[in-house]
Amino acid sequence: MNPLLSGSYSVDLKELLSIAHVEKNMQKDTYLYQEGDESDAIHYILSGKVRISKITPDGRELTFRICGENDFIGEITPFCDPSKYTVSAKVIEEGTCAKIRKEDLEEELLKNPSLTREYMKWMGLHHQRTQSKFRDLILHGKKGALYSTLIRLTNSYGVEGEDGILIDLNLTNMELANFCGMTREVVNRMLSELKKEKKLSLTDGKIVIHDLQYLKDQIHCENCPIEFCTIY
């Protein structure tokens, strides 16, 4: 289980692996599924990383989250009619995953109340995370999109240091722009302004946040539980 998910918001879904499943290798730059495919299974990530994203009407990619070990990816609603995936899942770091069919999941949820409870908690947590991200994108515009993404990255990959919080993730400005739903040029300009103000810097291509509180103040951060404010 992700160590950040603790306390009353903890979700333990490793029991999913007791359900009939197929393990498959994930090759970098391939897709577990793409937008428009039939939503017929969930995937439990055993190793590697997967990016969940969507192509906007104007052709830009909007990244919702990055999933890693012990995360599961599922855009299915048990016991409902078949539907289509509305997002794509692209492998960005090779690894393995377990694929569990919808009908097998439904059968186990009927038999296993504890797993059903955990699955419902996960669905609620996932919904609140999504709401939180769209709130930042809509209410605070481009600044909110970038600043909230940086805050989420520190919560997910932050390493405390003497001069700030290192976001220990290799991330290009284009990939960062995809998280924000903006162009790379806009993100470059905003990052340059933050560097001039000494709010952040770059170390070996990774971002170091020197004044996290500044970012929070600028978007009137509500200090949501950390479980709602991650990039996972």
Side-chain angles (χ1 to χ4, degrees), residues 33-228:
Y33 54 81
Q34 291 184 270
E35 187 175 346
D37 292 345
E38 183 179 352
S39 177
D40 60 354
I42 59 173
H43 296 79
Y44 194 100
I45 308 302
L46 300 169
S47 62
K49 287 187 172 62
V50 177
R51 181 173 65 230
I52 307 301
S53 62
K54 183 179 182 66
I55 301 300
T56 64
D58 61 0
R60 285 183 294 170
E61 183 178 27
L62 176 60
T63 299
F64 290 108
R65 65 190 190 277
I66 294 175
C67 299
E69 183 178 353
N70 294 335
D71 287 330
F72 86 91
I73 303 167
E75 200 184 330
I76 63 172
T77 305
F79 313 111
C80 292
D81 292 337
S83 59
K84 304 290 186 180
Y85 287 114
T86 61
V87 295
S88 297
K90 185 176 182 179
V91 179
I92 58 174
E93 180 184 295
E94 67 179 24
T96 58
C97 71
K99 182 178 180 178
I100 303 169
R101 298 187 308 162
K102 180 177 183 244
E103 51 264 43
D104 292 328
L105 172 65
E106 291 172 338
E107 182 179 346
E108 187 64 24
L109 291 177
L110 286 172
K111 298 187 301 183
N112 190 334
S114 64
L115 181 60
T116 302
R117 182 176 61 251
E118 293 301 312
Y119 188 84
M120 291 177 66
K121 285 168 65 178
W122 176 84
M123 288 184 67
L125 178 62
H126 176 65
H127 179 66
Q128 288 174 299
R129 284 177 178 167
T130 303
Q131 279 190 320
S132 174
K133 175 158 187 173
F134 279 118
R135 178 201 62 203
D136 292 336
L137 289 172
I138 293 170
L139 293 183
H140 302 294
K142 293 177 180 178
K143 178 182 288 188
L146 176 61
Y147 289 15
S148 65
T149 296
L150 291 173
I151 293 168
R152 285 180 167 82
L153 285 167
T154 61
N155 289 338
S156 302
Y157 297 100
V159 178
E160 293 275 0
E162 292 183 1
D163 60 344
I165 304 173
L166 170 70
I167 298 175
D168 193 17
L169 178 69
N170 292 314
L171 198 66
T172 67
N173 285 4
M174 187 68 252
E175 290 170 329
L176 183 58
N178 289 343
F179 274 112
C180 306
M182 298 189 295
T183 65
R184 182 180 58 186
E185 291 75 17
V186 171
V187 167
N188 287 346
R189 184 174 68 250
M190 296 176 72
L191 288 176
S192 295
E193 291 172 357
L194 287 170
K195 283 190 283 187
K196 288 179 182 177
E197 296 172 2
K198 302 188 185 302
K199 305 302 182 184
L200 60 76
S201 61
L202 294 178
T203 300
D204 296 327
K206 296 180 179 179
I207 298 173
V208 179
I209 305 296
H210 300 302
D211 193 344
L212 182 61
Q213 191 58 50
Y214 172 82
L215 300 180
K216 291 182 176 182
D217 290 344
Q218 290 295 303
I219 61 171
H220 309 289
C221 179
E222 298 176 2
N223 292 312
C224 301
I226 194 171
E227 292 85 1
F228 302 159

Side-chain angles (χ1 to χ4, degrees), residues 13-19 21 42 44 72 100 105 115:
L13 288 165
K14 286 186 178 180
E15 200 171 348
L16 285 170
L17 295 180
S18 67
I19 304 174
H21 62 271
I42 59 173
Y44 194 100
F72 86 91
I100 303 169
L105 172 65
L115 181 60

